[in-house]
Amino acid sequence: MRRILVAALSGIFLGSTFAADADAQRRRATLPDGEGKDVVEAACLACHPVRTIAATSGYTAAQWPQVVGTMIDLSKTPQERDAILAYLNRHFPPNTKNAPKLIAGPVQVSFREWVVPTLGQRSRDPVEAPDGSIWWAGQWSDLVGRIDPRTGAMKEFPLPAGAKPHSVLLDRDGGVWYTGNKNATIGKLDPATGKITEFRMPAGVKDPHTAKFDANGILWFTAQHSNMVGRLDPKTGEVTAKKMPRPGSKPYGIKIDASGAPWVSCNGKNCLLRIDPKTMDLKEVLLPHEDTTVRRLDIAEDGMIWYVNSGRGRLGRYNPKTEEIREWASPSGPKSHPYAIVIQQGAIWYNESRKRPDALVRFDPKTETFQSWPIPSGNFYAGIIRHMRTTRDGGLIIHQSSTNRIIKVTIKGP
């Protein structure tokens, strides 16, 4: 049965495969009984637990076709399409059970969306190139793509089968790189020829995740499920990796500070990590509360490490000089699961990924105040942002991976 990416229904992709029959039965039991249930089960459960549908904010009869249409073309099987849409419309109308708490404020934002060509690719991690073009990773379709914002033209570049790129990034010369999350590679694309140069990971590193170039052109990366961090020298092809101090730390986000030292967030434990760029010695910073987990982090001009406390629904700041740690409760509460984060125009921007709609949040460190907005996906809201970057004109580049949207955010106001 063709794969329908039901992550778009709730915006929560859990990423695991569910092979056990008992587990499949458990997931099926969460769907309401009714005509069309068997069609939805057959189409959806190949990739996702049913609870992703149950967590949706629901849509109207006019919106459901748009939601499903971002994932797969069902025009050639109208009977299947109509059964799926009728079931979803009947059992999952609009609701507010996971609605965010939106905060008004003085800043204005506008969203410009692009819908990428290949359906169901889980487009993510867009980044702006020096020429103004925008690159993204199509994780589930083994591709990276480019948008020309001036014309809207898009081009997709195929990657080796099974690469499943988790992220795309650019080197200081504008070269296009990606992390092969499922085939243990880091690759470089030549857009002029489509040629791919692959760098194989050493034993133990199976899932390159997020990466960042330092000022010397060295590529630093995390490998979440391998519980390792590493570096790649593009000139020699040498890859060096080290285990995290604690099992299950799940290194996730990575940024480079002004001294050239990489900082890493822990998605499995209550920690941040500093890597010595010369020796690769690892220094762990313990964060308060054992249920703290950190998806991503960013570093301000004053050296402060800002992070999202995803496990507890908070925004945090670590001062490397004084070792002081402060946290602020996110507007939508402890279950909001802050995810992506970036610093732009002196403010901290992040999203509340377990709310529907996915909320874009701004925190002003000077006044310690929040402001937030719902992130659209065309005529509906479906989440979520998994990585966030800045633009040269003072805006943000975000995405809605569940609905194939790449979005540029223009910021106006104080």
Side-chain angles (χ1 to χ4, degrees), residues 217-254:
I218 300 298
L219 182 63
W220 296 86
F221 63 90
T222 59
Q224 179 183 199
H225 296 296
S226 303
N227 205 43
M228 300 184 79
V229 294
R231 66 182 179 194
L232 162 66
D233 185 339
K235 293 181 179 179
T236 65
E238 181 183 8
V239 181
T240 307
K242 290 197 71 171
K243 275 282 187 184
M244 295 286 284
R246 283 191 288 168
S249 292
K250 295 184 178 180
Y252 204 88
I254 186 168

Side-chain angles (χ1 to χ4, degrees), residues 135 142-144 146 155-160 171 174-178 186-199:
W135 287 86
D142 292 329
L143 63 84
V144 294
R146 181 181 63 204
K155 182 176 181 180
E156 294 180 337
F157 299 81
L159 303 180
D171 62 26
V176 181
W177 294 72
Y178 67 89
I186 291 176
K188 182 179 182 181
L189 165 72
D190 182 345
T193 65
K195 179 183 176 182
I196 304 291
T197 302
E198 289 185 310
F199 298 86

Side-chain angles (χ1 to χ4, degrees), residues 22 65 84 97 234 317:
I84 291 172
K97 60 187 177 183
R317 184 185 69 193

Side-chain angles (χ1 to χ4, degrees), residues 62 79 108 125 144 254 300 309 317 335 351 357 365-366 373 404:
Q79 187 174 0
Q108 297 180 348
D125 291 32
V144 294
I254 186 168
N309 188 332
R317 184 185 69 193
K335 296 184 179 180
N351 66 309
K366 295 181 180 178
W373 302 261
N404 285 353

Side-chain angles (χ1 to χ4, degrees), residues 28-292:
R28 289 189 179 95
T30 65
L31 275 179
D33 290 329
E35 185 178 355
K37 176 183 176 182
D38 56 338
V39 182
V40 173
E41 286 178 343
C44 303
L45 295 190
C47 295
H48 299 288
V50 172
R51 61 179 174 270
T52 60
I53 306 177
T56 179
S57 60
Y59 300 101
T60 65
Q63 291 172 328
W64 270 119
Q66 299 175 57
V67 176
V68 174
T70 66
M71 299 177 280
I72 193 169
D73 181 7
L74 292 173
S75 61
K76 295 182 180 180
T77 54
Q79 187 174 0
E80 180 185 4
R81 176 199 62 203
D82 293 347
I84 291 172
L85 293 176
Y87 179 88
L88 293 173
N89 184 50
R90 182 165 54 252
H91 294 286
F92 299 100
N95 66 78
T96 59
K97 60 187 177 183
N98 289 321
K101 180 180 179 181
L102 299 175
I103 308 295
V107 177
Q108 297 180 348
V109 302
S110 60
F111 301 93
R112 182 185 179 188
E113 302 177 57
W114 293 272
V115 181
V116 300
T118 300
L119 296 180
Q121 64 177 268
R122 198 183 185 218
S123 54
R124 56 174 302 153
D125 291 32
V127 61
E128 185 184 62
D131 64 1
S133 62
I134 299 169
W135 287 86
W136 82 87
Q139 186 173 17
W140 279 8
S141 295
D142 292 329
L143 63 84
V144 294
R146 181 181 63 204
I147 302 170
D148 183 341
R150 295 167 296 182
T151 66
M154 291 180 242
K155 182 176 181 180
E156 294 180 337
F157 299 81
L159 303 180
K164 298 294 181 287
H166 197 278
S167 191
V168 63
L169 66 156
L170 307 174
D171 62 26
R172 57 189 175 188
D173 298 321
V176 181
W177 294 72
Y178 67 89
T179 52
N181 191 239
K182 293 300 182 183
N183 69 350
T185 66
I186 291 176
K188 182 179 182 181
L189 165 72
D190 182 345
T193 65
K195 179 183 176 182
I196 304 291
T197 302
E198 289 185 310
F199 298 86
R200 294 283 169 183
M201 296 295 100
V205 182
K206 61 183 179 181
D207 59 332
H209 187 280
T210 301
K212 185 74 175 177
F213 282 100
D214 67 16
N216 298 316
I218 300 298
L219 182 63
W220 296 86
F221 63 90
T222 59
Q224 179 183 199
H225 296 296
S226 303
N227 205 43
M228 300 184 79
V229 294
R231 66 182 179 194
L232 162 66
D233 185 339
K235 293 181 179 179
T236 65
E238 181 183 8
V239 181
T240 307
K242 290 197 71 171
K243 275 282 187 184
M244 295 286 284
R246 283 191 288 168
S249 292
K250 295 184 178 180
Y252 204 88
I254 186 168
K255 291 292 176 72
I256 313 292
D257 69 17
S259 72
W263 286 80
V264 172
S265 57
C266 303
N267 189 37
K269 298 291 183 181
N270 56 324
C271 60
L272 304 173
L273 192 85
R274 183 186 185 274
I275 307 175
D276 186 302
K278 294 182 179 179
T279 65
M280 285 197 70
D281 289 340
L282 308 181
K283 177 185 177 182
E284 187 181 54
V285 177
L286 291 179
L287 300 176
H289 305 286
E290 289 189 358
D291 57 349
T292 290

Side-chain angles (χ1 to χ4, degrees), residues 99-104 331-332 352 357-360 371-374:
K101 180 180 179 181
L102 299 175
I103 308 295
S332 298
E352 295 178 320
D358 192 10
L360 177 66
Q371 185 177 351
S372 54
W373 302 261

